[in-house]
Amino acid sequence: AQRVTQPEKLLSVFKGAPVELKCNYSYSGSPELFWYVQYSRQRLQLLLRHISRESIKGFTADLNKGETSFHLKKPFAQEEDSAMYYCALTEGGGGSNYKLTFGKGTLLTVNP
Amino acid sequence: KAGVTQTPRYLIKTRGQQVTLSCSPISGHRSVSWYQQTPGQGLQFLFEYFSETQRNKGNFPGRFSGRQFSNSRSEMNVSTLELGDSALYLCASSPLSYLEAFFGQGTRLTVV
C-alpha cells in the first residue's frame, strides 16, 4: 500500500531563514511525487511536481529514491509562504491509476 | 478559465439521510476525483472518474458512490449518513491523468 508521511504537523521559522518540509513515502513501484499548498482561505493548488524538476516561488524538491524522500526546501522563507503544505504521490508511468495519496500536511508559519 | 465549481458549499444533514454533492470540472478536463478531508484522517481518496467510467476507488464503504456525466460533470452520493461522514469533500479535475489536479473549494458536510 502506498503511504506518505509528513513528520512535522507544525513548522515555524523566521523570515529569511531556510526552510525544509519533510516528506517520506512508501511505494513499491515508481511513484510521481507532488507538493500541494493551501494558503489561508484559498483552494488546494499544485506547488510543484518532481517530474518537472522546476522551482516554483523559490521552492525546490528532490526525489531521493534511496531514502524514499521528497523534502521541500527554500533557502530564504518569506511571510507569504505561510500555508499548509501537503506532499502527495500517485502511480507513475502515466498509467490509469490516478489516485493521489496525501500526507497529513505541515502547517508552515513564517514569522516577521 | 473558470475553476472547478462545487455545489453546494455547505450542507447540514441528519443521520440516516442521503446527500448528493455536485462538481463541475474545468472545461476540457475529463478526469474528476473526489476526496474526503477530515482533521483526523486528512485527505483521503474516494474515487476517480474518466469519461463516465469509474477507474479507481478508495477504501470507503458502499454508501459512498458517484457518477460522471457525458459533459464531465460529476456527482457523489452518500446514503444513510453517519456522524463520521462530517467532512470537507473536495473535487479535483485534470486534463490528463496525473499531471496536475485542480481542486474546487469543497463542500462542507455536517451530519447531526
Side-chain angles (χ1 to χ4, degrees):
Chain A
Q2 50 201 47
R3 182 191 294 265
V4 177
T5 303
Q6 293 179 249
E8 304 135 329
K9 282 188 178 179
L10 303 169
L11 184 61
S12 182
V13 300
F14 286 102
K15 178 183 172 182
V19 63
E20 181 180 50
L21 290 86
K22 292 184 168 51
C23 172
N24 290 92
Y25 66 91
S26 172
Y27 186 67
S28 56
S30 239
E32 297 290 353
L33 276 297
F34 307 85
W35 277 99
Y36 278 81
V37 62
Q38 188 166 27
Y39 300 102
S40 179
R41 288 186 289 277
Q42 293 188 27
R43 59 186 70 193
L44 193 61
Q45 60 186 281
L46 179 69
L47 179 63
L48 58 80
R49 50 184 175 245
H50 96 270
I51 194 173
S52 302
R53 294 186 171 276
E54 55 202 345
S55 172
I56 304 293
K57 299 185 179 182
F59 284 97
T60 59
D62 289 320
L63 178 60
N64 186 322
K65 291 187 178 180
E67 296 182 359
T68 59
S69 68
F70 188 56
H71 303 327
L72 184 68
K73 300 177 184 178
K74 185 169 183 177
F76 307 103
Q78 303 299 315
E79 288 179 67
E80 54 265 30
D81 296 329
S82 296
M84 191 73 169
Y85 291 81
Y86 295 94
C87 182
L89 73 76
T90 190
E91 178 184 288
S96 64
N97 191 22
Y98 180 45
K99 166 188 169 179
L100 281 171
T101 298
F102 284 90
K104 293 279 181 77
T106 297
L107 181 62
L108 173 65
T109 302
V110 181
N111 302 296
Chain B
K1 205 176 204 182
V4 177
T5 304
Q6 292 187 245
T7 56
R9 291 292 310 280
Y10 302 93
L11 266 178
I12 300 177
K13 290 287 188 180
T14 304
R15 270 184 305 175
Q17 287 187 312
Q18 75 164 16
V19 67
T20 299
L21 312 182
S22 180
C23 172
S24 293
I26 293 172
S27 177
H29 288 192
R30 294 165 65 187
S31 171
V32 175
S33 301
W34 288 89
Y35 295 83
Q36 183 195 63
Q37 186 175 28
T38 59
Q41 299 300 318
L43 279 153
Q44 292 186 286
F45 174 79
L46 279 157
F47 26 66
E48 187 240 351
Y49 288 87
F50 185 87
S51 294
E52 301 178 67
T53 300
Q54 185 183 89
R55 293 198 298 188
N56 295 286
K57 191 176 192 307
N59 295 324
F60 279 82
R63 299 185 296 107
F64 291 81
S65 63
R67 58 178 175 170
Q68 187 181 32
F69 302 96
S70 58
N71 62 358
S72 292
R73 191 177 70 84
S74 177
E75 290 182 345
M76 68 162 280
N77 184 77
V78 188
S79 62
T80 320
L81 284 165
E82 300 177 359
L83 296 179
D85 297 333
S86 295
L88 180 67
Y89 290 88
L90 293 172
C91 166
S93 75
S94 301
L96 292 171
S97 292
Y98 63 95
L99 291 180
E100 180 172 355
F102 292 82
F103 283 84
Q105 294 275 42
T107 294
R108 173 76 61 186
L109 172 65
T110 303
V111 182
V112 298

